[in-house]
Amino acid sequence: MATRGPSYGMSAQVAAKIGAKRDPQQEAEVQEWIETLTGEKFPSDYAESLRDGIILCKLANTLVPGSVKKVNTNKTQSFKLRENIENFQKMAKNYGVPETDVFQVVDLFEKSNISQVTQCICAVGRLAQTKPGYTGPALGPKQSAENVREWTEEQLLAQKQMKGEIGLQMGQNKGASQAGQNFGLGRQINYTEPQ
């Protein structure tokens, strides 16, 4: 990991804004959900435990067995740890998580945007509840299902006929005019001829 000095100016403001998005309660719920599914406790704090990607790979293999073929546990090689994170990202995308919900590797590895990591795991948790055969705990609200409506020909025809009408709930504009309105005095300009 690159060593970075303290942030100043706009960089500090951006870092503070991203840090303020973190929700400790949501992180605790995500941590409990992961620990319940994988059967392992986090060895340290939330962000540091997820940083190497090992727990995420175990979560991926719990949800989709065999999705991560090799979990790299050598913590001295940072590119191998980044590969763990990439493997979780691939599983999340294949699982159905939208691209916009998936975090970047540096968000987790450099702990620069942990709230985005939490959002991605929550998206995986929402999708897990919709998968057949999933019996684990729920994480967040259940994702909504498609609600297809069937319209009869009569209903469609009635809708077309009503399009040109203005309903009584919309009010009326009969006699609406701005004629005669006067808001304050008119502009008064005094002109004097030069001498």
Side-chain angles (χ1 to χ4, degrees):
M1 183 166 114
T3 305
R4 293 188 180 178
S7 299
Y8 297 102
M10 188 174 234
S11 296
Q13 290 173 353
V14 169
K17 191 172 185 179
I18 289 172
K21 289 182 181 179
R22 288 185 68 174
D23 182 1
Q25 181 181 355
Q26 188 179 33
E27 289 178 4
E29 290 173 11
V30 168
Q31 180 175 341
E32 182 182 340
W33 182 72
I34 292 173
E35 288 174 346
T36 303
L37 284 177
T38 61
E40 294 184 25
K41 297 285 182 198
F42 279 32
S44 59
D45 75 313
Y46 177 79
E48 190 58 38
S49 297
L50 294 176
R51 183 179 170 271
D52 58 15
I54 295 171
I55 291 176
L56 293 177
C57 287
K58 290 178 182 178
L59 173 65
N61 282 331
T62 302
L63 294 172
V64 182
S67 60
V68 178
K69 308 267 188 277
K70 183 174 189 276
V71 180
N72 300 304
T73 56
N74 186 352
K75 295 190 179 194
T76 59
Q77 296 177 325
S78 62
F79 69 94
K80 290 289 188 183
L81 302 179
R82 287 174 179 259
E83 193 174 286
N84 286 342
I85 298 169
E86 289 172 7
N87 288 334
F88 174 77
Q89 289 174 327
K90 283 181 200 168
M91 184 285 301
K93 290 174 189 172
N94 292 337
Y95 205 58
V97 175
E99 183 79 33
T100 55
D101 283 345
V102 179
F103 61 94
Q104 300 293 317
V105 173
V106 294
D107 291 343
L108 177 57
F109 195 75
E110 295 181 3
K111 297 191 273 186
S112 62
N113 195 353
I114 297 300
S115 62
Q116 184 65 34
V117 175
T118 304
Q119 292 300 318
C120 178
I121 296 171
C122 286
V124 170
R126 279 193 311 273
L127 280 171
Q129 296 174 56
T130 64
K131 301 293 181 181
Y134 177 77
T135 58
L139 177 63
K142 186 176 180 183
Q143 188 153 333
S144 62
E146 187 178 24
N147 186 6
V148 180
R149 291 181 168 74
E150 299 292 329
W151 301 97
T152 65
E153 287 296 321
E154 293 172 356
Q155 290 172 323
L156 291 173
L157 184 62
Q159 184 67 27
K160 283 182 183 178
Q161 290 173 347
M162 288 179 55
K163 260 198 174 166
E165 297 177 16
I166 295 178
L168 293 176
Q169 292 178 343
M170 295 182 197
Q172 62 176 348
N173 64 353
K174 290 183 180 177
S177 169
Q178 292 184 349
Q181 291 185 358
N182 187 1
F183 295 102
L185 293 174
R187 186 171 167 197
Q188 298 185 9
I189 301 173
N190 294 329
Y191 178 74
T192 57
E193 283 194 31
Q195 298 167 351

